[in-house]
Amino acid sequence: MLGSHHPYAASDPRTREALTTLPVYNRLPFVPVRASGCDIITTDGRRILDLYGGHAVAALGYGHPGLVDAISDQCQRLLFQSNAVALDIRARAAEKLLQVAPADLSRVFFVNSGAEANENALRMACVVTRRDKVLAITHGFHGRTAAAGAVTWNSQRWYGFPAQPFDVEFIPRDDCDAAGRMIDSDVAAVIVEPVQGIAGACDLSHEFLRTLRKRTQQCGALLIADEVQSGMGRSGHFFAVQAHGIGPDILTSAKALGGGIPCGAVLCTEDVATHFGSGDLGSTFGGGPVVAAAIVAVIEAIENGKLLENVREREAQIREQCVRGPVKRIQGMGLLLGLVCDRPALEVRNALLQFDILTGTSSDPDVLRILAPLVLDSHHVDHLAQALDALAPSID
Ligand code: PLP
């Protein structure tokens, strides 16, 4: 409850939002007014280096001319039309996305968010296999809707629905034997984040991911790769499964997909697509023209700006320079990295914020998350390394 002791002035957005929106978010202690490149400018004139990218959304950073121009051109030409009509820009977005996706994926269904993409992917798996059990991985996160929440580890803390839409079991992370045992002919799908984002950028082993692929194929179950956080170049590949040479039956994307314009996509193989016809799936806003223009612009910027190479270089630089101060080791892939700390990650995040560097926490209390824009520059990494050095040594 907001009492008369609220710390901010009545006109401060923090006070006004506290009075008008549901109190479900812990808000950071600054208010952005604009942003440019990798920097956020705040109401009190601070310039904060954003290594968190708005939950991995700002793939191109802020104010990228290719993205801004594509969105504003499309707004002027045709702001919206639904899926009742075909659009050149939507066709281009689908074509571009399929060009950069794993080879066997040949169809796209556009939606509005990561949870909605997973909700549809799970429904599609139940329809295709006519089975009612889904396996997920311990520590995974897939969203907060009924099906996506059901396959999210520990979601009982907030799930809220009276029942789950299907049976769910969790395969212990990276346990190949358990995967081999648990995936059987009752299973509709296994859903997996190749790099578990919210869990602390935990990159699952190649052997584990290959076991999931092999065993699902043997049992007639589908493999769903949730690349909502790891996808769109963040891993140093367009999609993290490509680094493992694994082709899922369904792949979900969102977050960075539109570079900040809300959108999601479900990609699937031709085999999966044959089970769906008119009226089986739908969305009002999914694949709208502005969204589609943003998707094309993001993919072109990643290609033209050689951003996959940049991600791999910045990853190498972070691994080389940033195991220092509170950081004991680094996990993850590309610019989805977990800095394992010798003290609570929240403490490190707050301390880095004093140096005007924004990082993220994770569901692992020891892991600080880096989800920086893919346009990150080497001097940004130098700045992070210097700040980590300047943090006081651990008390124990
Ligand atoms: N899947 C993964 C791997 C995520 O990290 C998230 C969000 O953090 C989601 C799904 C849900 O996406 P959204 O918040 O767009 O519904």
Side-chain angles (χ1 to χ4, degrees):
M1 277 293 291
L2 185 77
S4 53
H5 302 300
H6 199 270
Y8 307 116
S11 61
D12 191 302
R14 287 168 283 194
T15 307
R16 284 155 47 219
E17 283 205 35
L19 287 166
T20 52
T21 64
L22 280 181
V24 295
Y25 298 112
N26 277 327
R27 293 271 158 68
L28 288 160
F30 61 85
V31 177
V33 278
R34 59 193 173 81
S36 164
C38 295
D39 291 342
I40 299 171
I41 317 297
T42 69
T43 40
D44 49 1
R46 284 170 74 189
R47 178 178 282 269
I48 296 177
L49 171 61
D50 184 5
L51 301 182
Y52 189 56
H55 294 317
V57 167
L60 306 184
Y62 304 96
H64 187 283
L67 178 60
V68 172
D69 289 352
I71 295 166
S72 40
D73 283 356
Q74 189 59 52
C75 285
Q76 293 190 16
R77 200 168 316 138
L78 176 66
L79 185 77
F80 188 69
Q81 274 293 306
S82 75
N83 287 289
V85 293
L87 297 173
D88 177 65
I89 189 66
R90 189 188 299 121
R92 276 174 50 209
E95 287 157 4
K96 275 252 126 221
L97 197 50
L98 293 171
Q99 264 167 28
V100 298
D104 287 346
L105 302 177
S106 62
R107 299 279 176 160
V108 185
F109 174 61
F110 287 114
V111 292
N112 306 285
S113 70
E116 194 187 349
N118 287 331
E119 198 78 6
N120 279 283
L122 291 160
R123 173 134 63 103
M124 289 164 71
C126 293
V127 168
V128 170
T129 60
R130 300 186 194 192
R131 299 175 183 172
D132 55 8
K133 180 162 137 190
V134 174
L135 301 183
I137 314 301
T138 57
H139 307 279
F141 183 91
H142 302 288
R144 290 176 179 266
T145 52
V151 291
T152 288
W153 177 247
N154 261 342
S155 63
Q156 61 279 4
R157 288 171 298 147
W158 45 259
Y159 189 68
F161 291 107
Q164 298 186 340
F166 37 64
D167 289 340
V168 182
E169 284 174 22
F170 290 89
I171 304 172
R173 175 164 79 185
D174 271 347
D175 186 335
C176 296
D177 291 343
R181 270 196 317 276
M182 291 172 73
I183 303 172
D184 60 24
S185 52
D186 291 335
V187 171
V190 176
I191 184 165
V192 59
E193 296 168 85
V195 185
Q196 294 186 318
I198 289 177
C202 183
D203 47 312
L204 299 185
S205 76
H206 180 69
E207 295 67 35
F208 184 66
L209 292 169
R210 288 212 71 92
T211 304
L212 297 184
R213 177 63 291 185
K214 199 166 144 215
R215 195 70 192 131
T216 45
Q217 255 157 359
Q218 286 168 347
C219 298
L222 302 191
L223 182 65
I224 303 172
D226 176 347
E227 296 241 22
V228 166
Q229 192 161 147
S230 58
M232 294 304 288
R234 180 156 299 283
S235 69
H237 303 261
F238 258 100
F239 293 99
V241 284
Q242 291 165 319
H244 293 279
I246 285 171
D249 302 286
I250 301 180
L251 180 149
T252 56
S253 177
K255 289 195 186 280
L257 179 62
I261 298 292
C263 57
V266 184
L267 283 67
C268 69
T269 61
E270 206 60 26
D271 273 359
V272 170
T274 53
H275 291 80
F276 297 91
S278 174
D280 289 340
L281 303 169
S283 165
T284 297
F285 287 116
V290 176
V291 161
I295 294 172
V296 172
V298 168
I299 297 173
E300 283 179 349
I302 293 173
E303 288 176 334
N304 299 339
K306 300 207 178 328
L307 296 186
L308 299 182
E309 289 88 331
N310 188 57
V311 168
R312 292 200 281 254
E313 282 168 22
R314 296 292 76 76
E315 175 189 3
Q317 192 190 353
I318 292 172
R319 286 184 182 279
E320 196 184 309
Q321 295 184 12
C322 294
V323 181
R324 58 169 73 189
V327 180
K328 292 192 297 187
R329 63 183 175 84
I330 296 179
Q331 60 193 25
M333 238 178 131
L335 287 177
L336 173 45
L337 294 175
L339 276 46
V340 184
C341 297
D342 64 3
R343 64 197 82 170
L346 185 61
E347 213 177 277
V348 180
R349 189 204 66 186
N350 292 343
L352 286 173
L353 211 42
Q354 304 287 320
F355 290 86
D356 290 335
I357 297 176
L358 176 62
T359 52
T361 53
S362 71
S363 62
D364 183 331
D366 295 333
V367 178
L368 190 74
R369 238 176 341 148
I370 304 273
L371 306 164
L374 314 188
V375 294
L376 194 74
D377 192 87
S378 63
H379 78 267
H380 295 131
V381 179
D382 295 338
H383 183 28
L384 172 65
Q386 282 154 15
L388 287 168
D389 246 353
L391 297 192
S394 169
I395 316 150
D396 29 83

